[in-house]
Amino acid sequence: MTTAVRVNTHAYATTHVATNMLRGMKQIIRESGLSTSKITGEWAALEAGIAAWLNSGHLKGLVLEIYDPGKRAGDDLVGRFDFTIDYSYYGDGDGELWLDPGTVSYTVLKNGSYPSRCNYRLIADTAPGYPSVDGWSTTTFRSTAGFTRHSVGTAIGGGSLGAGLHYYTRSNG
């Protein structure tokens, strides 16, 4: 007698990656010297959207924009962090779920902190045709003109999913 068990790890992987991208963003916010009350208060809606779009394959990335509300619009961005999604990171995937919080801490260390007057927002970068999720609306990204993007590497993995981490710094010159 032979018994075969097949577990669909996709649901576990999407929940793991969604939750840990948010945990990573919360860690960035906290370690950058900003209040985590905003992300904590929006957690349920944020997690629902991210998990839904990972599950449907529409999530391209999760972006944290940090801005100075005292500066004029269009020139108020002071920092940005992106988790970008790779749906084929592990090929067929082996079901392993992992997180590297050291990568997140390293990123904050390389980037530095922000004045406490700064604010932030999380934006889901989605592909066309994404399903709507309560608590989310459309917006546009702040300009990254004058900034340089730095890649840190993959910080989260689950099933076939990987989430790479990037940060932006003001360019010299």
Side-chain angles (χ1 to χ4, degrees):
M1 176 178 185
T2 303
T3 303
V5 176
R6 177 173 159 73
V7 177
N8 181 351
T9 60
H10 183 70
Y12 294 112
T14 56
T15 300
H16 168 78
V17 172
T19 300
N20 284 297
M21 280 195 303
L22 283 173
R23 285 181 181 157
M25 290 300 195
K26 184 178 179 183
Q27 181 181 348
I28 291 168
I29 291 163
R30 183 183 61 252
E31 291 180 12
S32 294
L34 302 174
S35 171
T36 60
S37 61
K38 183 176 182 179
I39 190 172
T40 302
E42 298 172 351
W43 195 273
L46 292 168
E47 193 169 41
I50 294 163
W53 298 319
L54 274 172
N55 192 45
S56 70
H58 288 92
L59 188 68
K60 297 190 298 186
L62 181 64
V63 175
L64 171 66
E65 289 184 336
I66 301 172
Y67 60 96
D68 185 341
K71 292 187 176 183
R72 66 179 173 84
D75 193 34
D76 59 349
L77 185 70
V78 295
R80 178 172 154 169
F81 298 84
D82 299 359
F83 275 113
T84 55
I85 304 302
D86 181 351
Y87 286 93
S88 60
Y89 182 70
Y90 279 127
D92 291 334
D94 62 0
E96 182 181 19
L97 305 175
W98 61 271
L99 165 69
D100 183 1
T103 298
V104 176
S105 289
Y106 170 80
T107 302
V108 176
L109 181 65
K110 291 292 291 180
N111 188 68
S113 62
Y114 298 101
S116 61
R117 71 177 177 275
C118 289
N119 203 346
Y120 60 87
R121 66 181 183 160
L122 287 162
I123 302 169
D125 185 8
T126 52
Y130 65 91
S132 66
V133 175
D134 288 342
W136 287 83
S137 61
T138 58
T139 191
T140 56
F141 292 108
R142 287 177 161 81
S143 172
T144 55
F147 284 81
T148 301
R149 183 178 192 228
H150 307 275
S151 180
V152 182
T154 304
I156 304 166
S160 64
L161 297 170
L165 182 56
H166 313 272
Y167 68 100
Y168 290 72
T169 57
R170 183 125 351 237
S171 304
N172 295 332

